[in-house]
């Protein structure tokens, strides 16, 4: 983005705001979807976010810092209101059933299946986290904000972000483990006791397409 974008937006420069939209629209859209679990609602949230950002542009603090925390903060509030209005629970991505167990595969292939199961479990249980936990995961993990930026976006102290993110990671692990255990018990009731090619791995979280379980967000 061009230099002085923040000042230009504060001054009501429409070309600068169009530049902002082009740079961050997809990011806001994806963030809204993670917090609503609905593509159409995410689209509305994105539109409302930029509309509200334009209306409140004069409240932007002077400086040259990134506008990412500001936009994601607005989007988080809009998503929260959308969920409250339509009664939807927060969820990350569309829920998908875990892959069916497969036999006679090599160990490496069976391990990949177990990773896919864990990812599906994470997606399923994400909506069972508290709202604040979901929001801090979405901001720090999937949108890449650091602690200070997430604190700015959510309007809470940095220390609260740290503790909330730690609790969110721990609860997500626990809920995903419980979900996998339930699935295994259900499979054991349906399948013969001796099956080949099934591998259980406790380290499967390493294969997830995000790094939410590291100690510090980037």
């Amino acid at each position: 983005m061009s230099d002085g974008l923040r000042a230009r937006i504060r001054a009501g420069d429409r070309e600068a705001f169009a530049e902002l939209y082009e740079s961050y629209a997809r990011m806001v859209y994806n963030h809204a979807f993670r917090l609503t679990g609905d593509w159409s609602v995410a689209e509305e949230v994105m539109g409302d976010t930029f509309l509200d950002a334009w209306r409140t542009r004069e409240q932007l603090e002077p400086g040259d810092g990134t506008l990412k925390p500001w936009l994601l903060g607005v989007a988080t509030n809009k998503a929260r209101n959308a969920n409250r209005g339509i009664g939807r629970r927060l969820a990350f991505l569309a829920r998908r059933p875990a892959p069916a167990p497969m036999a006679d595969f090599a160990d490496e292939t069976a391990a990949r299946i177990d990773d896919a199961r864990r990812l599906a479990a994470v997606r399923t249980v994400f909506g069972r986290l508290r709202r604040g936990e979901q929001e801090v995961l979405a901001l720090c993990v999937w949108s890449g904000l650091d602690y200070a930026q997430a604190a700015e976006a959510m309007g809470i102290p940095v220390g609260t972000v740290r503790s909330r993110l730690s609790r969110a990671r721990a609860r997500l692990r626990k809920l995903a483990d419980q979900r996998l255990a339930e699935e295994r018990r259900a499979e054991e009731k349906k399948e013969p006791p001796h099956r080949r090619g099934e591998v259980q791995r406790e380290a499967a979280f390493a294969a997830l397409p995000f790094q939410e379980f590291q100690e510090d967000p980037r």
Side-chain angles (χ1 to χ4, degrees):
M1 289 186 293
S2 63
D3 294 336
L5 184 66
R6 182 183 291 254
R8 291 166 60 202
I9 290 174
R10 279 170 49 89
D13 187 329
R14 292 182 179 274
E15 290 186 3
F17 198 81
E19 187 177 337
L20 179 76
Y21 181 88
E22 289 297 324
S23 298
Y24 288 121
R26 180 169 293 276
M27 177 199 70
V28 171
Y29 182 67
N30 289 337
H31 179 68
F33 175 66
R34 289 165 188 148
L35 294 180
T36 62
D38 187 295
W39 292 115
S40 61
V41 175
E43 207 169 290
E44 293 176 5
V45 168
M46 182 186 71
D48 288 345
T49 295
F50 282 96
L51 180 61
D52 197 54
W54 174 255
R55 288 172 174 170
T56 62
R57 63 190 181 278
E58 294 180 358
Q59 298 176 18
L60 264 176
E61 294 292 332
D64 297 320
T66 176
L67 294 171
K68 193 174 179 180
W70 174 55
L71 284 176
L72 290 181
V74 175
T76 298
N77 287 330
K78 295 297 180 183
R80 188 182 301 164
N81 292 337
N83 282 318
R84 187 181 297 122
I86 63 179
R88 288 189 176 93
R89 297 183 63 195
L90 296 171
F92 170 62
L93 298 177
R95 286 189 169 91
R96 296 188 303 182
M102 302 180 70
D104 298 320
F105 271 67
D107 287 353
E108 182 179 355
T109 302
R112 291 197 190 104
I113 294 171
D114 195 53
D115 291 346
R117 286 176 175 170
R118 183 169 285 274
L119 176 56
V122 168
R123 288 172 172 166
T124 299
V125 302
F126 183 81
R128 292 165 58 185
L129 296 178
R130 298 182 181 92
R131 185 185 67 196
E133 292 170 341
Q134 293 169 341
E135 291 173 353
V136 77
L137 278 173
L139 290 168
C140 290
V141 176
W142 298 303
S143 292
L145 299 191
D146 60 27
Y147 291 130
Q149 291 172 332
E152 178 185 343
M154 300 180 73
I156 59 178
V158 171
T160 302
V161 172
R162 289 177 180 273
S163 59
R164 189 175 294 179
L165 185 58
S166 177
R167 288 196 304 269
R169 288 183 178 127
R171 289 198 68 217
L172 193 60
R173 285 194 192 99
K174 180 180 179 181
L175 291 171
D177 286 342
Q178 290 174 348
R179 175 75 180 186
L180 287 170
E182 292 169 1
E183 290 176 356
R184 284 195 294 268
R185 287 194 293 269
E187 289 173 6
E188 289 170 357
K189 293 179 180 179
K190 295 178 182 178
E191 298 293 329
H194 300 290
R195 290 179 291 168
R196 297 172 56 198
E198 183 175 358
V199 176
Q200 302 296 333
R201 295 200 313 167
E202 293 300 324
F205 267 119
L208 297 181
F210 41 75
Q211 298 175 343
E212 72 275 32
F213 301 106
Q214 62 186 12
E215 285 304 318
D216 293 303
R218 64 185 178 87

